[in-house]
Amino acid sequence: MPQVRNNYIDGAWRPAELCSESYNPSDTSELVGRFAIASTADVRDAVNVARKAFTHWKETSPQQRSDILDRAADAIDRRTPELATLLSREEGKTLPEAVAEVTKAAHTFRYFAGEAVRLAGASLRSVRKAVDVDVRREAVGVVGLITPWNFPFSIPAWKSAPALAYGNCVILKPSELTNAIAWELASILHEAGVPPGVFQMVMGGGDIGAALVSNPDVDAVSFTGSEAVGRLIAVQIIGRGAKLQLELGGKNPLVVADDADLDKAVDAAVRGAFYSTGQRCTASSRIIVDAAIHDDFVERLLERTARLRVGHALDEASDIGPLVSAAQLERVSRYVQAAPSGGARHAYGGRVLETPANGYYFEPAIFLDGNMRQSINREEVFGPIVSVFKATDFEDAVRLANATEFGLSAGIFTASHAKARAFIRASNSGMVMVNLPTVGSDYHVPFGGRGASAYGPKEMGLGAVEFFTQTKTAYIAD
Ligand code: NAD
């Protein structure tokens, strides 16, 4: 029986009265971990401790903060195989996907270790005579980070690293489905020498996230998760004038123009729609194909999808692991069952798989001839489901791509530079991919969406500076 992993408050591991357990979605007979569930009193304590710690932490030298982040990156690098295995066991993504996620977290810590010492302001002449203007960037204060289960190591990392680099105190509330891997991150930061109260972690469900959001001493909240919860949080945070960053869902289009390299386009469609079991905010869920190549594309897509192997996340032969939970399996199945009555034609898959045993396995599904009004093409499903649409021409494809209230990631496959540029200009999304899948991003440039997909400054790169610092303008005369 694994020992209970406790919450991390004021530099120590604090037990709780209540405890939860998590099981491997690839084999639900395997217990992954046991976790202390924080109380709302724990959240209050953590915020009070963070408030006090902030007065010292914001004054630490950038070098000290940089060194801590560097040590965290080293530890992640050293422990990558073990962390990736735990991530696969807990979330269900395949081992190569888990290794990529853990590696990205290490890169993120190392990048922000450098950024801590590079934080720049601006120095300008005033419009007034003999006056100088100094625009500085300072830490925001106590920040609450609320994260989802689908990237349970890299998202906490890409929020924590910049927050700490720029002198903020962090309270992380990870997803209740992925406490084990989040706990490892807390443990790595503890070992790396983060002072008490500067990084803390409270585990629990939505009520614990809500307790963090409603605490008036939390100066900023960065949330990644569903649109529904994001909207709830926005009402409270904007209502009390705190800083807010939301990264929400997507309904990401992949356009395949008539001049596209079809093999590459099919490969990107399969990777974007089905890998990570479709549980990525940037997953391609609407593939929009020029009428001239539509039938050829669909034939190749069906053939390639039929070769995908769904299985245990740690089995080297598996291309796709299970869905994360029974609730997710039920949700995805519901969308698949409802799709034909909305007008879509079922072309492939969509069954709950009985083998291997004891897991939440779901066969990738393809629908054709649907319309953008039906729920499967309007709402985020978050599973291995894709709809293929026929566009009459390039303008029609762009129109269909933008026919969504979301705006996270959009892709196009084309050999034409002019079409690629036109698509970049016309897209309503925060990220555009040319001859690449809609999934995949770098750690040193802004990540995030528009419209219903996001609110506030983007994450990573310059976006992180915007969110985790605030400016102070000083006017200086002799
Ligand atoms: P979720 O919204 O159910 O939960 C996210 C987090 O919010 C969890 O930690 C949860 O415990 C917490 N929470 C739930 N109710 C809360 C409340 N009332 N107040 C405060 N916190 C609360 O999302 P999920 O199912 O964990 O993750 C899947 C979603 O995340 C998808 O919609 C996906 O698109 C989105 N996502 C977005 C991005 C992005 O960068 N845009 C990246 C990954 C995932």
Side-chain angles (χ1 to χ4, degrees), residues 54-283:
F54 180 59
T55 54
H56 305 294
W57 180 244
K58 68 177 179 179
E59 300 301 337
T60 48
S61 75
Q63 187 63 54
Q64 185 181 344
R65 300 197 292 265
S66 176
D67 289 346
I68 290 171
L69 298 181
D70 243 342
R71 286 197 291 273
D74 288 344
I76 296 170
D77 276 341
R78 232 182 7 255
R79 295 180 51 194
T80 296
E82 167 219 338
L83 292 168
T85 304
L86 178 64
L87 175 47
S88 279
R89 285 173 58 225
E90 186 173 51
E91 199 268 354
K93 63 184 63 183
T94 62
L95 197 54
E97 290 170 334
V99 168
E101 175 170 352
V102 172
T103 303
K104 187 167 186 175
H107 288 161
T108 304
F109 272 106
R110 209 167 306 283
Y111 171 74
F112 282 107
E115 289 300 281
V117 296
R118 274 193 288 266
L119 180 62
S123 196
L124 295 86
R125 289 283 304 276
S126 167
V127 294
R128 283 172 278 166
K129 213 169 161 193
V131 175
D132 290 324
V133 185
D134 198 6
V135 184
R136 302 154 177 237
R137 285 199 173 270
E138 298 180 346
V140 177
V142 176
V143 302
L145 311 180
I146 302 177
T147 54
W149 47 262
N150 69 325
F151 282 93
F153 196 67
S154 62
I155 292 181
W158 84 39
K159 291 183 193 294
S160 302
L164 296 171
Y166 301 135
N168 300 280
C169 285
V170 166
I171 301 169
L172 169 67
K173 206 304 280 174
S175 167
E176 55 274 44
L177 294 182
T178 47
N179 285 322
I181 194 70
W183 190 93
E184 295 299 335
L185 182 66
S187 156
I188 283 165
L189 286 168
H190 173 72
E191 296 290 324
V194 177
V198 169
F199 175 91
Q200 302 177 89
M201 185 183 68
V202 285
M203 295 180 284
D207 55 330
I208 295 305
L212 197 51
V213 167
S214 63
N215 191 307
D217 273 332
V218 172
D219 301 299
V221 167
S222 175
F223 170 85
T224 299
S226 62
E227 193 195 353
V229 175
R231 281 182 196 275
L232 278 178
I233 292 176
V235 171
Q236 284 202 45
I237 292 292
I238 296 168
R240 69 176 165 84
K243 228 173 159 182
L244 178 65
Q245 179 180 55
L246 298 177
E247 285 302 336
L248 309 173
K251 200 69 211 165
N252 310 296
L254 179 72
V255 167
V256 185
D258 55 359
D259 56 3
D261 178 323
L262 272 198
D263 284 335
K264 286 189 182 159
V266 168
D267 186 61
V270 167
R271 288 180 184 283
F274 301 139
Y275 277 61
S276 304
T277 326
Q279 299 174 128
R280 293 178 80 141
C281 54
T282 49

Side-chain angles (χ1 to χ4, degrees), residues 251 285-288 294 335 338-346 367-379 381 386-391 396 399-404:
K251 200 69 211 165
S285 51
R286 300 178 301 133
I287 302 184
I288 298 155
H294 175 273
Y335 275 102
S341 60
R345 182 157 63 86
H346 175 256
F367 288 94
L368 306 174
D369 305 335
N371 60 71
M372 296 295 177
R373 292 180 306 282
Q374 59 182 139
S375 56
I376 198 170
N377 297 322
R378 229 182 43 236
E379 297 164 14
V381 177
V386 79
S387 292
V388 184
F389 299 89
K390 195 185 283 185
D396 189 38
R399 183 186 62 76
L400 289 168
N402 282 337
T404 169

Side-chain angles (χ1 to χ4, degrees), residues 255-261 265 394 411-421 423 433-436:
V255 167
V256 185
D258 55 359
D259 56 3
D261 178 323
F394 180 70
I412 183 166
F413 270 78
T414 178
S416 152
H417 202 56
K419 275 186 189 153
R421 288 165 58 98
F423 185 73
M433 314 290 176
V434 176
N435 295 324
L436 289 166

Side-chain angles (χ1 to χ4, degrees), residues 252-253 286 398-410 422-432 448-453 458:
N252 310 296
R286 300 178 301 133
V398 172
R399 183 186 62 76
L400 289 168
N402 282 337
T404 169
E405 59 176 17
F406 291 107
L408 187 51
S409 180
F423 185 73
I424 294 171
R425 278 196 301 274
S427 174
N428 285 349
S429 294
M431 295 181 291
V432 181
R450 295 179 174 182
S453 291
K458 296 209 177 353

